[in-house]
Amino acid sequence: MKAVAVSVFHNLGRAVRAALLLLPLILAVLWCGRLTAGDIVRPGELWPDESGRHINAHGGGILAYGGRYYWYGEDKDARTNAALVGVSCYSSRNLKKWRRLSVALSVDTTDAASPIARGCIIERPKVIYCAGTGKFVMWFHLELRDKGYRAAMAGVAVADRPEGPFRFLRASRVNAGRLPSGYTEEDVQMLDSLRYTMKLKWWTPEWRRGVEAGVYMRRDMDGGQMARDMQLFVDSDGKAYHIYASEENLTIQIAELTDDYTAHTGRYVRVAPGGQNEATVLFRHGGYYWMITSGCTGWAPNAARLYRARSIMGPWEGNLYNPCCEGNDRRPVEKTFLGQGTYALPYGKGIIFMADEWRPNHPSDGRYLWLPISFDRDGGPQIKWRDSWSLKKLKAGKYNDYPE
Ligand code: DGJ
């Protein structure tokens, strides 16, 4: 009898010991379940993919194609912002559960002289589908290996399938030899006479006059315009545009793409000259093109700005106001809730503002801040912080008090 009792106790002890050992695993599984279940988005929390790993698609954008969503982004390393892998691609049917499909664009591990050699910087990749050619076209901001942020180039790659593999076509500055729309040869002479302003102290009124007139654009005319933080936008007529921080990050430029989306037509405009904007996010609503941007403070967050236009090629009005209108101490509006915009995704009757919360000391741990965009009674966009929100409600237009 005593022996049976000892054996039961012993076995019980083993079961308890095993349960204790497994507890962290059980808790992790439950935690993952909480983060991936249902239609609830929790901005700033870990976002595991179907395999349980935090999604690694930073500075990303989303393509809706064939009843699925494809999320492309920077596949970041734990220690460096340099591209060691390339551009990742995840797919989802509901925007909540994501499966990692592939490395859509791989860095070149064999040729150290390649513009996309392992160790280069690839940022803010975006993919659009070209109905005319049936190809998927990716553009990204490229910086050459070991050259810091000096190259300021745009890279382009194409694929036959949304998940890739994307074939790298080329990287270059933008629209070499071209003047922005509306500029004349007389303007070029005027800019040449203002060349000296580039040597002045930044932010002095005279320096600013030169910047606004376009002295940096003129400086880069031969070699092409600088192109850093970038966005793509396909308009309702099928025309596509490349939007990028140019002219030493002082001025946004919007450049029209060719019909196959793989090159620039030469037509471009300057937006908010001297406004020092980056991280552009574009969407249409209420007869306007809206552009949310950030200031330029590296990886540190700052206040978002808002611009609008009746035509994508301008004229653009703004800075109008900070569209982030309700936050809290942990998620302040004057710091874009600690994020920086990367994309706007129309979803049913709603639009999602996608932003990155960068973690420069642990880049792959960067978080995703997805939030509903609502509109005020005058049709102006507003973004409120929410610890959690429902994709279903957003789709049904529930986060927008003043629908179109
Ligand atoms: C802010 C940009 O938005 C990012 O994409 C990245 O280029 C960092 N600056 C680098 O400091």
Side-chain angles (χ1 to χ4, degrees):
M1 188 62 192
K2 194 172 163 206
V4 171
V6 167
S7 148
V8 166
F9 181 75
H10 186 74
N11 282 337
L12 187 72
R14 244 205 255 150
V16 170
R17 274 205 303 276
L20 278 177
L21 279 177
L22 285 175
L23 193 63
L25 188 67
I26 295 166
L27 287 176
V29 169
L30 290 175
W31 177 249
C32 265
R34 172 181 171 269
L35 293 180
T36 51
D39 75 314
I40 301 301
V41 174
R42 299 177 199 280
E45 292 198 14
L46 285 170
W47 195 337
D49 66 9
E50 279 185 12
S51 77
R53 271 190 225 114
H54 181 48
I55 291 171
N56 195 343
H58 309 268
I62 289 187
L63 169 74
Y65 178 80
R68 287 186 176 276
Y69 295 95
Y70 296 87
W71 179 352
Y72 305 88
E74 303 159 26
D75 192 312
K76 284 192 182 283
D77 181 68
R79 280 172 296 274
T80 168
N81 187 55
L84 303 185
V85 175
V87 176
S88 54
C89 175
Y90 292 76
S91 151
S92 171
R93 281 201 182 276
N94 59 11
L95 293 180
K96 181 66 201 284
K97 273 189 155 202
W98 292 91
R99 170 173 298 175
R100 186 173 169 107
L101 292 185
S102 56
V103 178
L105 175 73
S106 297
V107 292
D108 193 329
T109 52
T110 55
D111 178 6
S114 162
I116 57 166
R118 189 169 189 268
C120 68
I121 293 175
I122 291 179
E123 288 182 353
R124 298 180 175 271
K126 304 287 178 290
V127 173
I128 50 182
Y129 173 66
C130 180
T133 59
K135 303 269 186 212
F136 298 85
V137 183
M138 176 190 293
W139 285 85
F140 53 92
H141 166 201
L142 176 73
E143 297 293 347
L144 303 176
R145 190 164 86 175
D146 301 329
K147 298 270 191 282
Y149 278 82
R150 290 194 289 284
M153 288 172 153
V156 58
V158 291
D160 297 324
R161 289 197 304 272
E163 69 273 25
F166 279 78
R167 189 167 50 85
F168 175 65
L169 293 183
R170 83 193 91 82
S172 65
R173 292 239 174 135
V174 174
N175 281 329
R178 298 298 191 118
L179 277 173
S181 301
Y183 277 70
T184 62
E185 277 309 314
E186 273 164 30
D187 292 321
V188 172
Q189 282 168 24
M190 176 270 293
L191 289 171
D192 287 343
S193 75
L194 284 178
R195 216 181 165 84
Y196 74 97
T197 60
M198 281 188 290
K199 299 218 175 76
L200 301 177
K201 199 163 174 289
W202 276 42
W203 307 117
T204 56
E206 211 178 347
W207 172 86
R208 186 183 272 284
R209 225 179 358 262
V211 170
E212 287 175 9
V215 286
Y216 289 101
M217 173 275 290
R218 168 68 183 120
R219 180 198 69 185
D220 292 337
M221 247 186 78
D222 291 345
Q225 300 297 313
M226 299 174 88
R228 292 206 182 108
D229 273 16
M230 60 142 281
Q231 188 59 258
L232 295 179
F233 187 80
V234 181
D235 212 342
S236 46
D237 61 1
K239 277 219 168 298
Y241 299 85
H242 177 207
I243 301 103
Y244 49 95
S246 194
E247 305 177 26
E248 303 291 351
N249 275 9
L250 289 162
T251 298
I252 296 294
Q253 294 185 355
I254 300 184
E256 189 185 64
L257 295 178
T258 51
D259 288 346
D260 68 359
Y261 300 170
T262 67
H264 297 93
T265 63
R267 194 172 156 242
Y268 72 104
V269 293
R270 305 176 66 229
V271 178
Q276 215 180 32
N277 288 287
E278 62 178 7
T280 54
V281 168
L282 271 93
F283 53 95
R284 277 181 85 168
H285 181 86
Y288 281 103
Y289 295 80
W290 296 95
M291 179 160 66
I292 297 176
T293 69
S294 75
C296 300
T297 50
W299 300 112
N302 55 59
R305 296 109 177 251
L306 180 72
Y307 297 82
R308 72 174 183 189
R310 289 286 185 193
S311 149
I312 186 147
M313 293 302 256
W316 285 82
E317 305 167 52
N319 169 17
L320 302 171
Y321 58 86
N322 178 355
C324 300
C325 65
E326 224 177 271
N328 57 41
D329 289 350
R330 281 184 311 111
R331 296 291 181 181
V333 291
E334 63 281 3
K335 298 255 188 262
T336 314
F337 315 120
L338 304 185
Q340 190 182 30
T342 184
Y343 197 69
L345 177 66
Y347 186 54
K349 291 186 176 167
I351 304 177
I352 303 172
F353 175 68
M354 292 168 51
D356 292 282
E357 182 179 354
W358 304 115
R359 301 248 163 124
N361 296 326
H362 186 165
S364 55
D365 190 38
R367 304 300 168 87
Y368 308 105
L369 310 184
W370 288 22
L371 290 163
I373 300 180
S374 59
F375 294 87
D376 62 22
R377 71 175 70 239
D378 302 320
Q382 293 187 328
I383 307 169
K384 296 177 188 163
W385 175 259
R386 296 167 200 269
D387 288 334
S388 63
W389 56 273
S390 150
L391 283 159
K392 277 191 200 124
K393 280 192 183 168
L394 177 112
K395 196 174 188 184
K398 295 273 165 56
Y399 292 112
N400 187 9
D401 298 335
Y402 299 96
E404 246 177 304

